[in-house]
Structures are given as structure tokens and as C-alpha cells.
């Protein structure tokens, strides 16, 4: 339907690249819906031009900030403040129904069936399943709802300092009111939660339709050698699934980078794609068919405090230091 759209948000050029890949992945899987991207004024002209080639509508919006410095500092994610800009998506009233998707998501198959759902439909958050993750949700644009959301922000703020806290506070009955508004996890598969329940991922992961690159390190934070199909980065997130990361980079390098080079012309432009990787950066060698990640043995071990923080954030190294066998071994030693 012409009055239904997928909507995303990019507040800077990095997230604009993510939006480009998301848009191309939706196109590649033959969506029949319109594509809309909301962008902040900081997005450069070349990136805007590429977005206009992929999306049906590119709209510049003001960057809203939660102003909730205490909560943002607590989360150690000050960049989440601008995600309040996401609330602008409710102003797109020329559409009857929309599906919002974060710019760090990637579509793996056609998901037009999401438009059969009602507001507010979303998948559970892997960190606290009684909350929904605001990376993918179905909603109905409404100036009235937009006003009420801003009013809610003013009166109650956000319990996590970001848009997810606001939306869960406003749509507070999501967990209990209507199970039909609970999207299956395959529509918002967290790349950092895959290894927390590996048997389930092996059983159901093949049905995934949307992968969400949660966490601070985004796909565009790495570098990529298209010829060797190698991804490298100085801050490797060991819990990211390399298969999905490779899929993101293959799409970005083949479909997005040529358009970016065309727009930038002779200007200096770093796409993130390289032919020769620096030897000091650790390298992930990935074949298209592989689904496991091998890391060099020389990786620095995290401190006790860093491991504690990872556990508290639901990002324990279940395949390494924090594996069941290691934990059991330590318990056995302690009990003896």
C-alpha cells in the first residue's frame, strides 16, 4: 500500500551509512512499501544524495535530546540522547501505518507482513524481556500521539535515558495487554545476544528476518577487505555474529560504496573498505559459509571489573572465559 512505509533515522554520516545498507536490504528483498529516512542537519550533502537514491522520502528533522545526563552517564552511552529524535516518526501522518527500524539493523528476508500488526508491536528486549526493544516496532503516525509522547518525556523522562525507556514507559502495557503485539525475536535478532543461548540460536537462528547490531561497536566501526573478505577492527566485539557482519559489509561494499564515491568525487572519503589490512589490527577471516568466530590467542584479557560490567550488561563471554565448563571447574575447585 502506498500509505505504508518503513522508517529509519540517521543523525550523522555514520548512521546514514547504516540507513543506506538497511534501505538496500529492504529493496533487495522486494518490499512493496515506501521507504522513509529521517535525518539530522549534521548529515552531509553527499550522504543525503545517496539516501535520496535509496529512499522514497528523506526528511530533515531537529535533533531532540533527552537532556537526561545522569541516566545517560549511568549507561555509559551518552550518544543515546539524540535517539529521542526518533519520536519525530509519529509526525509522518501522510502514512497510515509504519514500521520503524534502527539504522543498525539489516533485513535478511521480506518482512512486509509486519504491517498486519497494530501499534505498538515490537519484539522483547534480550536484556529485559518484559520491555520491548525499540529497534523495530510497528506504529501508527499521529500528531496526537506525538504530542503525548513529548508530554510524557517532560513529565517522566526516560528510565534508561534513551528512546526505549520513553516508549516502554508510554506503552507500559505492552508486556501484559495483548500477546499479538509481541513480535517474534526473529524480527529483531540481537547480534550481541546470540551466544547467550546458543542451542536456541542453532535451532531457530536460521529463520531470522532482521538482525540488530546492538552495542557500542557498529558494523561501520570496522574495516573490510572486499577481495579477501576480511573484517578487522581494534575493538572486536566477540559476541557479534561474523556471518551477519560479513553480510552487512558485502552489501555495503558492493552497493553503497560505489554511490558514495560517485557523490564525493575528488573529496577525501574513507569508506572503511581497504585492500591491505594493517598488521597491527586483529583480523577475522571469514568465509561466507562459516558461522563461528576464531580470535587470536594474543587478545588482551579483560579485567575483573570489565568482566563484571559485561555480566551486568548481559554480555558475558559464554563461549570463552565465562563458559559453563570454566564456571563449573572453578566451582569444583572452590567446593573442594
Amino acid at each position: 500500500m502506498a500509505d505504508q512505509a518503513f522508517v529509519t533515522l540517521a543523525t550523522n554520516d555514520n548512521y546514514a551509512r547504516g540507513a543506506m545498507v538497511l534501505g538496500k536490504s529492504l529493496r533487495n528483498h522486494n518490499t512493496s512499501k515506501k521507504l522513509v529516512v529521517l535525518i539530522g542537519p549534521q548529515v552531509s550533502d553527499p550522504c543525503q544524495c545517496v539516501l535520496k537514491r535509496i529512499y522514497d522520502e528523506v526528511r530533515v528533522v531537529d535533533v531532540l535530546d533527552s537532556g537526561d545526563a545522569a541516566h545517560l552517564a549511568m549507561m555509559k552511552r551518552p550518544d543515546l540522547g539524540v535517539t529521542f529524535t526518533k519520536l519525530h516518526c509519529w509526525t509522518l501522518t501522510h502514512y497510515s501505518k509504519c514500521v520503524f527500524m534502527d539504522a543498525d539493523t539489516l533485513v535478511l528476508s521480506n518482512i512486509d507482513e509486519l504491517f498486519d500488526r497494530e501499534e505498538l508491536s515490537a519484539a522483547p528486549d534480550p536484556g529485559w524481556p518484559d520491555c520491548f526493544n525499540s529497534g523495530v516496532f510497528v506504529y501508527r503516525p499521529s500528531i496526537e500521539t506525538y504530542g503525548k509522547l513529548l508530554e510524557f518525556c517532560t513529565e517522566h523522562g526516560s528510565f534508561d535515558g534513551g528512546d526505549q525507556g520513553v516508549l516502554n514507559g508510554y506503552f507500559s502495557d505492552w508486556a501484559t495487554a495483548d500477546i499479538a503485539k509481541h513480535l517474534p525475536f526473529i524480527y529483531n535478532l540481537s547480534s550481541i545476544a546470540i551466544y547467550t543461548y546458543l542451542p536456541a540460536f542453532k535451532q531457530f537462528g536460521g529463520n531470522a528476518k532482521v538482525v540488530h547490531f546492538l552495542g557500542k561497536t557498529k558494523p561501520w566501526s570496522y574495516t573490510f577487505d572486499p577481495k579477501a573478505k576480511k573484517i578487522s577492527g581494534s575493538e572486536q566485539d566477540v559476541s557479534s555474529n561474523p556471518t551477519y557482519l560479513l553480510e552487512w559489509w558485502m552489501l555495503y561494499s558492493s552497493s553503497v560504496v560505489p554511490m558514495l564515491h560517485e557523490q564525493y568525487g575528488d573529496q577525501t572519503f574513507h569508506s572503511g573498505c581497504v585492500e591491505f589490512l594493517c598488521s597491527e589490527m586483529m583480523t577475522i577471516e571469514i568465509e561466507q559459509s562459516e558461522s563461528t568466530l576464531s580470535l587470536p590467542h594474543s587478545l588482551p584479557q579483560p579485567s575483573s571489573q570489565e568482566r563484571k560490567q559485561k555480566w551486568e550488561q548481559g554480555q558475558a563471554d559464554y563461549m570463552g572465559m565465562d563458559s559453563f565448563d570454566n564456571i563449573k571447574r572453578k566451582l569444583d575447585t572452590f567446593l573442594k
Side-chain angles (χ1 to χ4, degrees):
M1 295 176 64
D3 66 340
Q4 296 182 341
F6 285 102
V7 181
T8 191
L9 168 69
T11 54
N12 56 43
D13 281 3
N14 282 332
Y15 277 86
R17 296 183 192 187
M20 294 168 196
V21 174
L22 170 61
K24 290 296 291 185
S25 69
L26 284 162
R27 296 286 188 203
N28 289 350
H29 292 294
N30 303 313
T31 181
S32 62
K33 311 302 178 181
K34 296 288 186 180
L35 301 188
V36 180
V37 58
L38 307 177
I39 62 171
Q42 290 184 332
V43 176
S44 67
D45 289 340
C47 283
Q48 288 192 39
C49 290
V50 174
L51 287 170
K52 287 175 181 176
R53 292 176 62 178
I54 300 172
Y55 284 80
D56 298 295
E57 182 178 352
V58 179
R59 177 177 292 201
V60 181
V61 295
D62 292 329
V63 176
L64 300 175
D65 196 298
S66 69
D68 197 344
H71 282 129
L72 292 173
M74 181 178 68
M75 290 184 68
K76 297 183 179 179
R77 290 292 305 277
D79 54 306
L80 284 178
V82 294
T83 59
F84 270 61
T85 315
K86 187 183 292 190
L87 302 183
H88 278 298
C89 70
W90 266 271
T91 66
L92 300 171
T93 52
H94 48 300
Y95 299 106
S96 64
K97 189 184 291 185
C98 297
V99 172
F100 186 92
M101 303 186 72
D102 277 349
D104 58 352
T105 57
L106 176 71
V107 171
L108 307 176
S109 64
N110 187 286
I111 54 172
D112 286 359
E113 68 272 12
L114 286 179
F115 289 86
D116 295 334
R117 304 278 183 149
E118 288 302 324
E119 181 179 85
L120 186 289
S121 291
D125 187 84
W128 193 261
D130 277 348
C131 292
F132 59 82
N133 182 276
S134 60
V136 179
F137 60 85
V138 184
Y139 74 100
R140 287 189 177 275
S142 162
I143 294 299
E144 180 183 1
T145 304
Y146 176 67
K148 288 180 178 179
L149 281 164
L150 292 182
E151 184 179 346
F152 185 90
C153 290
T154 303
E155 293 181 0
H156 304 285
S158 167
F159 66 76
D160 68 358
D163 65 273
Q164 184 160 304
V166 169
L167 294 176
N168 273 276
Y170 184 80
F171 297 99
S172 58
D173 65 349
W174 173 86
T176 57
D178 185 358
I179 193 66
K181 294 182 180 179
H182 289 216
L183 297 182
F185 193 52
I186 60 171
Y187 289 103
N188 194 347
L189 182 69
S190 165
S191 65
I192 65 170
I194 288 171
Y195 292 134
T196 61
Y197 191 12
L198 188 59
F201 175 67
K202 289 179 177 178
Q203 179 71 17
F204 304 111
N207 299 322
K209 295 197 169 192
V210 178
V211 61
H212 189 180
F213 296 97
L214 283 170
K216 199 167 186 177
T217 307
K218 301 302 181 184
W220 52 83
S221 302
Y222 302 90
T223 54
F224 179 60
D225 182 344
K227 292 181 180 179
K229 295 183 181 179
K230 292 181 180 179
I231 300 169
S232 68
S234 57
E235 293 185 9
Q236 173 60 45
D237 184 348
V238 297
S239 54
S240 290
N241 187 291
T243 304
Y244 297 137
L245 197 58
L246 177 64
E247 189 161 343
W248 190 96
W249 271 100
M250 292 292 285
L251 181 54
Y252 172 69
S253 62
S254 64
S255 299
V256 173
V257 170
M259 289 192 287
L260 285 170
H261 277 300
E262 187 178 326
Q263 291 301 323
Y264 277 96
D266 295 332
Q267 299 179 53
T268 301
F269 164 63
H270 300 288
S271 67
C273 295
V274 295
E275 292 188 8
F276 301 100
L277 299 172
C278 298
S279 59
E280 68 268 20
M281 301 179 78
M282 58 183 171
T283 301
I284 314 167
E285 296 193 16
I286 311 171
E287 295 298 333
Q288 189 78 41
S289 60
E290 289 182 351
S291 60
T292 57
L293 179 61
S294 298
L295 294 175
H297 294 296
S298 59
L299 282 176
Q301 295 298 317
S303 66
S304 297
Q305 183 62 28
E306 288 172 335
R307 286 185 68 195
K308 180 182 177 183
Q309 288 177 351
K310 284 285 188 181
W311 271 89
E312 291 172 347
Q313 294 168 4
Q315 298 176 26
D317 183 12
Y318 290 100
M319 298 298 287
M321 293 178 67
D322 304 315
S323 67
F324 175 79
D325 287 341
N326 283 344
I327 293 172
K328 184 176 182 297
R329 194 176 299 115
K330 289 180 180 180
L331 284 173
D332 289 343
T333 302
F334 175 77
L335 291 173
K336 287 179 182 178

